[in-house]
Amino acid sequence: MPVGVVIPVHGFSPYLTQTLDAIVGQDAPPVDVVVVDDGSPSPVSLPEDHREAVRLVRREEQGGPGAARNSGIAVLADEVDLVAFCDHDDVWTPGYLAAHARALAHHPSASILTGDTLIVGPDDRVTGEQWQGLHRGSHRPALVLPTIYERHPLCTSATVVRRDALEEVGSFDESLPQAEDLDLWLRLLAADHLLVSVLGATVRYRRHPSGLTHDLVELSESLLRVHRTHADHVREPVARRSEAADLRGRAAGLVRLGRFEEARDEYAAADGLLPPLLGERLRAGVLAVPGLRARVGRRGPYGV
């Protein structure tokens, strides 16, 4: 089935050429590739080598990744049946699209296909951080939805979705600054769309300081909103664990910003939902000691 690719970007991206090289260099390349400039102050330019095979669409105002992806989906060629997503700083490995095609041949009713994620740093070296994905094969929507809700194991840059399924559920929620992908996966699963985890489709997902997920406060706030929106789809203990994790994530982000009193309040709210582990109790206690709490805020956002 014809594949189209949507790549959102805001501002200068030193990784865009590498991303596009990997996409157009696939054994079975996509029929359409759209880069969406999400209102960059200085308009994005395509690398010269890719100006014939790749289209550039510009949004005059920044709308965030959800709005940018929706703009790209809207202009994909009519023959595109499958929409693949790849962020401007991530890289597909060789054989990525071919692996998705093989999986779809085995599971023709699948609407969501997702591959493996290998986490790399700004220098393209593997960080050692493990991305906890799904086991291979098909997953019944009702059974896998709680796992997606709590662990959010799907990487957007490793995921391909049927275009008609996106149209059915309304694509990305443009009001979410982050976690818009998790919200979409949950809406697709709630609408009973089959998910397949694909063997051999790997994306190199890049962690770097300018990445959106580096902002732990905004990320945690977005996750909290998504979890509360979809709480009716999971059992109450799953919803409580997820909300507690979001609050602790926001607290960790506040610590990094030096907003210690707010962080203590967030830890207390999380503790009210789910009793903390020993390490979490110690971390919250450290925030009461000025000489120690500054050291807590020096940790990297991903614990690596």
Side-chain angles (χ1 to χ4, degrees):
M1 299 179 73
V3 178
V5 187
V6 175
I7 307 157
V9 60
H10 175 74
F12 171 71
S13 172
Y15 309 110
L16 183 58
T17 297
Q18 186 181 3
T19 299
L20 292 175
D21 284 345
I23 290 172
V24 302
Q26 293 290 307
D27 294 338
V31 299
D32 198 10
V33 181
V34 176
V35 172
V36 181
D37 176 358
D38 187 27
S40 301
S42 297
V44 170
S45 296
L46 290 176
E48 187 172 351
D49 291 347
H50 293 296
R51 290 176 185 171
E52 290 187 7
V54 178
R55 292 192 290 142
L56 178 64
V57 173
R58 176 170 169 80
R59 292 174 50 90
E60 292 306 317
E61 294 185 3
Q62 184 181 9
R69 294 192 190 105
N70 286 347
S71 295
I73 294 168
V75 301
L76 285 172
D78 291 342
E79 66 265 32
V80 168
D81 293 318
L82 296 170
V83 181
F85 301 104
C86 190
D87 289 344
H88 65 93
D89 43 7
D90 298 334
V91 178
W92 291 348
T93 57
Y96 175 87
L97 285 181
H100 279 291
R102 289 193 299 271
L104 191 60
H106 285 291
H107 304 279
S109 61
S111 292
I112 319 161
L113 300 105
T114 190
D116 288 328
T117 303
L118 183 66
I119 301 174
V120 300
D123 58 0
D124 209 36
R125 294 184 180 181
V126 176
T127 67
E129 181 185 1
Q130 297 298 309
W131 188 288
Q132 295 184 0
L134 300 170
H135 66 76
R136 300 293 176 268
S138 63
H139 297 264
R140 292 175 57 187
L143 296 180
V144 78
L145 191 151
T147 299
I148 304 302
Y149 179 97
E150 186 170 11
R151 288 175 38 207
H152 33 96
L154 274 63
C155 175
T156 308
S157 293
T159 304
V160 177
V161 183
R162 287 186 185 271
R163 192 176 194 172
D164 56 3
L166 292 172
E167 292 172 352
E168 177 188 333
V169 302
S171 294
F172 293 94
D173 182 345
E174 299 184 8
S175 70
L176 284 165
Q178 295 197 51
E180 76 292 335
D181 49 355
L182 175 61
D183 172 73
L184 176 59
W185 314 145
L186 293 174
R187 284 188 282 120
L188 286 164
L189 292 170
D192 205 34
H193 286 284
L194 184 68
L195 166 66
V196 171
S197 180
V198 178
L199 176 66
T202 302
V203 63
R204 296 176 70 86
Y205 174 82
R206 197 181 309 274
R207 298 282 203 199
H208 57 93
S210 60
L212 281 177
T213 55
H214 197 85
D215 186 341
L216 293 187
V217 173
E218 184 177 77
L219 174 61
S220 298
E221 290 173 348
S222 296
L223 285 169
L224 185 61
R225 179 176 155 191
V226 171
H227 284 141
R228 286 174 174 171
T229 297
H230 296 279
D232 289 346
H233 295 303
V234 299
R235 297 170 60 187
E236 193 267 347
V238 175
R240 287 172 65 88
R241 285 199 304 270
S242 299
E243 183 163 342
D246 297 339
L247 292 171
R248 288 180 177 128
R250 186 173 189 276
L254 291 169
V255 169
R256 297 189 73 242
L257 298 174
R259 294 159 59 181
F260 302 113
E261 296 304 320
E262 293 177 71
R264 290 181 66 189
D265 290 342
E266 293 293 86
Y267 278 125
D271 294 349
L273 290 168
L274 188 71
L277 299 174
L278 175 60
E280 293 164 346
R281 291 200 302 270
L282 292 174
R283 188 181 303 115
V286 163
L287 296 182
V289 184
L292 295 177
R293 65 190 185 187
R295 295 187 179 185
V296 178
R298 293 175 189 169
R299 293 190 63 192
Y302 310 114
V304 294

